[in-house]
Amino acid sequence: MHSASKPVQLRALFISDTHLGMRGAQAGALLDFLQSVEAECIYLVGDFVDGWKLKKSWHWPPACNRVIQHLLDCTRRGARIVYVPGNHDEFLREFAALRFGGIDVRERAIHTGADGRRYLVIHGDQFDVVVRHARWVSWLGDLSYNLALHAAMLVNRVRQRLGRPRWSLSAWARANVSRAAALIERFETALVREAAEQGFDGVVCGHIHAAAISTHGSVTYLNCGDWVENCTAIVETREGRFELIRWLEETAPSRQPALPPMQEVTP
């Protein structure tokens, strides 16, 4: 267990689907996590800002500003930040290859691990058939998800008062809805195939709010998850290990808010 006052040193940090501007976004938890680590390179792997929600109604609490300010402070201390837009912040794709306030915007990025292995960094919505070919269905699905998410938030408030652990809507859906599990598997297979065809050793993505590290032959699949329900991230340690962080599970009131033990994967 590391001291909460001393940030854990990382080679790289990957976060996705923070959805800042969405009422369910966990900006406070995200800020706590970001303050607990110090990375040489930070990748924002899409849907960092929820342009869809902000276009409908403006919701930007102070915690969102503090997250942005912290990231800008990171760049001033020498960290490199790469922003790979997703479908909810796709307006930024028009600015790919540009640099703003020390943040590089890229349609796709390439991360080279400590061992020289190369990873494609991409949000992943390009491989979602619904998003690509039936946008209205995507918007309808987004609305349904948000209604279910609000219900889950109410359930978790009651569970918190009763001293019960958090209940995850997405985890329940993955475990109980076979179609959801099939879509996740298809998404993962498509991303792995893309990485292999492009000559990469792995792929880091987001989009489906399902954090994971898995191996498919010689290709490693890493999904950052989200900061709406699950509060997860992928990190590369100073030793070059890629690990999955589940932040909320490790910061219960009975524990110190330090970086939790990580799950190791061997490429």
Side-chain angles (χ1 to χ4, degrees):
M1 181 67 67
H2 298 274
S3 169
S5 60
K6 186 177 181 181
V8 177
Q9 301 298 307
L10 302 171
R11 285 196 80 247
L13 165 65
F14 305 82
I15 56 176
S16 74
D17 297 271
T18 57
H19 288 276
L20 298 184
M22 177 183 180
R23 294 188 182 277
Q26 301 278 353
L30 174 61
L31 181 62
D32 289 341
F33 171 65
L34 291 174
Q35 291 173 335
S36 76
V37 299
E38 193 169 281
E40 296 173 12
C41 188
I42 301 172
Y43 292 89
L44 308 177
V45 193
D47 289 0
F48 179 69
V49 173
D50 198 322
W52 290 12
K53 291 294 182 294
L54 291 173
K55 188 176 181 180
K56 294 178 182 177
S57 63
W58 188 260
H59 176 72
W60 195 262
C64 294
N65 284 333
R66 289 196 287 270
V67 168
I68 301 295
Q69 186 59 56
H70 178 81
L71 291 174
L72 293 176
D73 289 343
C74 289
T75 64
R76 284 190 281 269
R77 292 194 296 267
R80 181 188 178 213
I81 297 184
V82 180
Y83 194 140
V84 180
N87 52 307
H88 283 256
D89 47 15
E90 62 185 351
F91 62 93
L92 287 171
R93 285 176 171 157
E94 298 179 13
F95 305 101
L98 297 180
R99 185 179 177 87
F100 299 95
I103 299 176
D104 294 312
V105 182
R106 297 287 184 269
E107 183 80 23
R108 297 182 172 196
I110 299 173
H111 174 73
T112 303
D115 58 1
R117 288 166 59 90
R118 297 166 67 249
Y119 296 82
L120 172 65
V121 183
I122 185 170
H123 181 61
D125 60 295
Q126 302 91 330
F127 299 87
D128 185 334
V129 175
V130 171
V131 170
R132 289 181 61 190
H133 301 296
R135 178 169 289 261
W136 70 271
V137 176
S138 177
W139 280 79
L140 183 60
D142 185 63
L143 175 61
S144 300
Y145 173 75
N146 281 294
L147 290 173
L149 182 62
H150 282 300
M153 290 171 65
L154 292 174
V155 169
N156 278 320
R157 284 175 189 164
V158 174
R159 292 176 67 88
Q160 184 179 27
R161 289 172 184 159
L162 296 175
R164 303 285 298 278
R166 285 176 57 84
W167 178 77
S168 171
L169 170 65
S170 59
W172 177 87
R174 291 195 298 273
N176 294 278
V177 182
S178 59
R179 183 172 178 272
L183 289 172
I184 290 172
E185 183 178 354
R186 286 172 54 191
F187 178 85
E188 185 170 332
T189 299
L191 267 294
V192 167
R193 183 186 302 116
E194 174 72 8
E197 290 177 353
Q198 297 296 323
F200 291 100
D201 301 294
V203 57
V204 184
C205 60
H207 186 57
I208 58 173
H209 294 207
I213 296 180
S214 61
T215 54
H216 299 256
S218 62
V219 178
T220 303
Y221 171 86
L222 306 103
N223 193 302
C224 306
D226 70 283
W227 286 83
V228 178
E229 286 188 88
N230 303 302
C231 297
T232 55
I234 296 291
V235 302
E236 182 187 10
T237 68
R238 294 295 292 272
E239 296 75 30
R241 296 190 307 274
F242 283 85
E243 301 172 347
L244 171 61
I245 304 297
R246 298 186 183 275
W247 183 244
L248 286 186
E249 292 179 9
E250 302 295 338
T251 53
S254 61
R255 300 189 57 172
Q256 293 294 322
L259 189 68
M262 303 178 186
Q263 299 179 1
E264 180 176 342
V265 61
T266 302

